[in-house]
């Protein structure tokens, strides 16, 4: 009988209580800001992270998760009798974490040859960030509890990763410019003219798909873009930073257009905040043009 574990990193931005309830293995990213080092999710709440960032102009520093860390987790789960590990990683275009997970798989089987016929390890590249992969991980656990096999779960996740996208509006680009990891934000040239970019996070890349003049137009433009690109009658997710006011306004207008409430609300965590800033509103949708 299969015994499947879903494993991921803390950039999935799932709250600690949900992680514990679903029994997911989450490897935390370590960050340093203001001289303080902490593990995302486990050492500080999201709100504590926002407060820490508000007290300094320093960009939180973080590094990829090492192959040794992954290998240790694989071994632990193997010894606990798991037959399948499905590990979902942060976008491989923005971090070496996925590559390290793959290296660790090779090292694990080389160091534990007796495990080759007893456990399977699947490493999936989410091609994105935050609850873009946090949400399907939650759904995957539900599938496991209903008796789904690993191949069925992987097919569901890969479909999600290939089709979904996040349309995001950062309130400012201070963090994005300093981190340099978000190419669309780095290339955006309209901020001095009072313009804000609408950035699509999908397919492992970022792209500026529209520009908004002034904060008063954020809600209407984001609603228009989300509704235009959303597959009808599919879930959408509201994503926000330390303030969810605009997210609530966007959902209110999307309810009028689609007749559907958001499937969930999600805060961006420390890793995402370090690269896009703690002030953002975004909508995750299943894109119909895919």
């Amino acid at each position: 009988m299969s015994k499947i574990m879903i494993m991921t990193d803390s950039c999935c931005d799932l709250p600690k209580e949900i992680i514990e309830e679903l029994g997911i293995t989450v490897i935390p990213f370590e960050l340093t800001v203001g001289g303080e080092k902490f593990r995302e999710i486990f050492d500080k709440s999201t709100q504590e992270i926002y407060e820490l960032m508000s007290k300094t102009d320093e960009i939180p520093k973080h590094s990829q998760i090492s192959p040794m860390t992954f290998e240790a987790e694989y071994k632990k789960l193997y010894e606990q009798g798991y037959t399948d590990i499905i590990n979902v990683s942060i976008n491989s275009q923005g971090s070496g974490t996925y590559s390290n997970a793959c290296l660790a798989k090779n090292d694990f089987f080389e160091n534990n040859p007796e495990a080759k016929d007893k456990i399977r390890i699947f490493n999936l590249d989410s091609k994105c960030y935050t609850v873009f992969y946090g949400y399907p991980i939650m759904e995957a656990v539900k599938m496991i509890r209903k008796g789904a096999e690993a191949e069925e779960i992987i097919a569901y996740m890969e479909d999600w990763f290939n089709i979904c996208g996040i349309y995001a509006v950062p309130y400012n680009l201070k963090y994005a410019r300093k981190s340099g990891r978000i190419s669309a934000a780095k290339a955006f040239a309209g901020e001095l003219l009072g313009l804000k970019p609408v950035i699509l996070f999908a397919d492992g890349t970022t792209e500026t798909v529209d520009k908004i003049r002034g904060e008063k137009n954020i809600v209407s433009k984001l609603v228009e873009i989300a509704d235009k690109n959303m597959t009808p009658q599919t879930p959408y997710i509201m994503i926000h930073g330390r303030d969810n006011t605009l997210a609530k306004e966007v959902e209110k207008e999307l309810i009028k257009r689609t007749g559907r409430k958001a499937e969930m609300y999600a805060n961006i965590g420390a890793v995402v905040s370090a690269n896009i800033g703690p002030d953002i509103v975004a909508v995750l949708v299943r894109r119909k043009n895919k």
Side-chain angles (χ1 to χ4, degrees), residues 143-188:
M143 293 173 70
I144 291 171
R145 291 177 175 178
K146 291 178 181 178
E149 293 295 331
E151 288 80 4
E152 183 181 350
I153 295 164
I154 290 167
Y156 158 73
M157 285 189 163
E158 289 184 336
D159 173 74
W160 180 277
F161 299 153
N162 289 331
I163 291 177
C164 293
I166 296 175
Y167 293 93
V169 181
Y171 297 0
N172 66 71
L173 297 177
K174 180 181 80 170
Y175 287 86
R177 293 201 189 285
K178 285 187 177 181
S179 81
R181 290 174 182 259
I182 300 173
S183 58
K186 188 176 180 181
F188 186 72

Side-chain angles (χ1 to χ4, degrees), residues 193-232:
L193 299 175
L195 300 174
K196 299 183 185 299
V198 181
I199 301 174
L200 170 62
F201 291 78
D203 305 317
T205 64
T206 60
E207 175 190 0
T208 299
V209 296
D210 213 326
K211 300 173 184 177
I212 301 172
R213 185 175 295 279
E215 287 194 13
K216 68 181 186 301
N217 295 314
I218 290 176
V219 172
S220 59
K221 176 57 72 172
L222 191 54
V223 168
E224 176 190 328
I225 290 171
D227 185 38
K228 177 183 175 182
N229 291 282
M230 184 191 306
T231 302

Side-chain angles (χ1 to χ4, degrees), residues 51-193:
E51 290 172 13
L52 193 62
M53 292 177 70
S54 70
K55 296 174 183 177
T56 178
D57 287 331
E58 180 186 343
I59 297 292
K61 297 178 177 64
H62 58 89
S63 56
Q64 59 200 31
I65 298 168
S66 71
M68 289 184 294
T69 301
F70 279 111
E71 186 179 357
E73 289 296 331
Y74 296 155
K75 186 172 178 60
K76 184 192 302 182
L77 294 172
Y78 167 62
E79 291 173 346
Q80 291 174 0
Y82 284 91
T83 60
D84 298 276
I85 299 171
I86 302 173
N87 175 58
V88 185
S89 291
I90 185 175
N91 180 15
S92 65
Q93 299 301 309
S95 170
T97 296
Y98 169 74
S99 294
N100 288 345
C102 295
L103 286 172
K105 174 183 174 179
N106 294 334
D107 291 343
F108 169 75
F109 284 118
E110 184 175 328
N111 296 328
N112 302 273
E114 75 285 356
K116 287 183 179 178
D117 296 323
K118 297 177 182 176
I119 188 170
R120 299 185 297 174
I121 300 173
F122 303 93
N123 282 306
L124 306 183
D125 178 6
S126 72
K127 303 179 184 178
C128 204
Y129 309 93
T130 190
V131 289
F132 182 95
Y133 60 105
Y135 175 79
I137 282 172
M138 292 193 298
E139 294 301 298
V141 173
K142 295 176 186 177
M143 293 173 70
I144 291 171
R145 291 177 175 178
K146 291 178 181 178
E149 293 295 331
E151 288 80 4
E152 183 181 350
I153 295 164
I154 290 167
Y156 158 73
M157 285 189 163
E158 289 184 336
D159 173 74
W160 180 277
F161 299 153
N162 289 331
I163 291 177
C164 293
I166 296 175
Y167 293 93
V169 181
Y171 297 0
N172 66 71
L173 297 177
K174 180 181 80 170
Y175 287 86
R177 293 201 189 285
K178 285 187 177 181
S179 81
R181 290 174 182 259
I182 300 173
S183 58
K186 188 176 180 181
F188 186 72
E191 196 170 18
L192 293 177
L193 299 175

